[in-house]
Amino acid sequence: MRRFLPWIIGIVVLFLIYSWIKGINNTAVTLNQNVEQAWGDVQTSYQRRNDLIGNLVNTVKGAADFEKGTLTAVIEARAKATSVTVDPTNITPAQLAEFNKAQSGVSSALSRLLVTVEAYPELKANQNFLKLQDELASTENQILTARTRFNEAVKPYNSHIKTFPNSMFAGLFGFKEKAYFNAVEGAEKPVEVKF
């Protein structure tokens, strides 16, 4: 019996090491899936906004002899925002910054559109326009919530793969640090509205 004891201890130690490494990997996989789901929610919110923009532009076109430059800016910003894609499995700070910049262009163009609309009382009274305006406000809140939840999903993932001893194995399994959503450059300044 004594001659088998070292073998039994060795097998138990190997099994414990295997279980420990498997736990590190499986937890990282689960947390990574949470990040990817949160990213999907972010993209869904932005897609909803892009869908609403088309309806808003068509309503404004139909209801007013409107400044074409503002409408063109909204349409171009929307097209640019939908052309920027981010790989959720490998979100880098540069990719996220580019995505964020394109989306802030949409927000800026929409703000200019809504300010310019103030000069058109018949449009402001249009029920379709008012409903779309409310939907856009609701969508912007959904985007904020989705971005916040994305950052909340990234934090435990990054913490898990960066803490020792997990950090020794995370790189071997292909897990890399994910980027957070940050405010776009200049967001700390108040918005200046000109009539």
Side-chain angles (χ1 to χ4, degrees):
M1 180 75 160
R2 285 190 174 210
R3 62 184 182 149
F4 292 117
L5 189 59
W7 286 97
I8 294 171
I9 291 172
I11 290 171
V12 168
V13 167
L14 285 175
F15 179 75
L16 290 174
I17 291 171
Y18 165 78
S19 297
W20 175 63
I21 292 173
K22 183 179 106 178
I24 290 171
N25 181 66
N26 290 349
T27 301
V29 168
T30 301
L31 293 172
N32 188 47
Q33 289 300 308
N34 291 344
V35 170
E36 288 185 27
Q37 177 191 0
W39 179 249
D41 293 344
V42 168
Q43 288 184 311
T44 300
S45 298
Y46 280 119
Q47 183 61 50
R48 180 171 190 246
R49 177 171 73 175
N50 288 333
D51 294 344
L52 285 172
I53 288 171
N55 292 332
L56 181 67
V57 167
N58 289 334
T59 301
V60 171
K61 273 184 187 175
D65 177 18
F66 199 58
E67 182 185 328
K68 283 189 176 185
T70 305
L71 286 175
T72 303
V74 171
I75 293 166
E76 287 173 358
R78 175 185 176 212
K80 184 176 182 183
T82 56
S83 70
V84 176
T85 58
V86 175
D87 177 13
T89 60
N90 188 22
I91 297 173
T92 65
Q95 285 177 324
L96 208 50
E98 183 182 349
F99 180 83
N100 218 8
K101 185 178 177 185
Q103 295 300 333
S104 71
V106 174
S107 296
S108 175
L110 279 174
S111 296
R112 285 193 307 275
L113 173 68
L114 295 175
V115 166
T116 308
V117 161
E118 292 295 319
Y120 294 89
E122 70 279 358
L123 182 58
K124 289 192 306 184
N126 181 316
Q127 291 303 311
N128 289 335
F129 178 76
L130 294 175
K131 184 172 179 352
L132 284 168
Q133 201 173 9
D134 288 344
E135 287 290 327
L136 274 173
S138 169
T139 300
E140 293 299 322
N141 288 333
Q142 287 177 358
I143 289 170
L144 172 64
T145 301
R147 288 173 59 157
T148 302
R149 288 183 181 156
F150 173 79
N151 282 348
E152 289 170 354
V154 167
K155 183 181 178 183
Y157 169 82
N158 283 348
S159 296
H160 178 74
I161 66 163
K162 290 176 75 176
T163 55
F164 183 82
N166 299 355
S167 59
M168 295 185 330
F169 301 104
L172 295 175
F173 298 134
F175 295 106
K176 297 176 186 167
E177 183 178 1
K178 306 275 188 201
Y180 288 98
F181 259 111
N182 292 313
V184 293
E185 192 174 316
E188 71 280 356
K189 299 174 189 164
V191 176
E192 185 178 329
V193 178
K194 294 181 181 176
F195 292 99

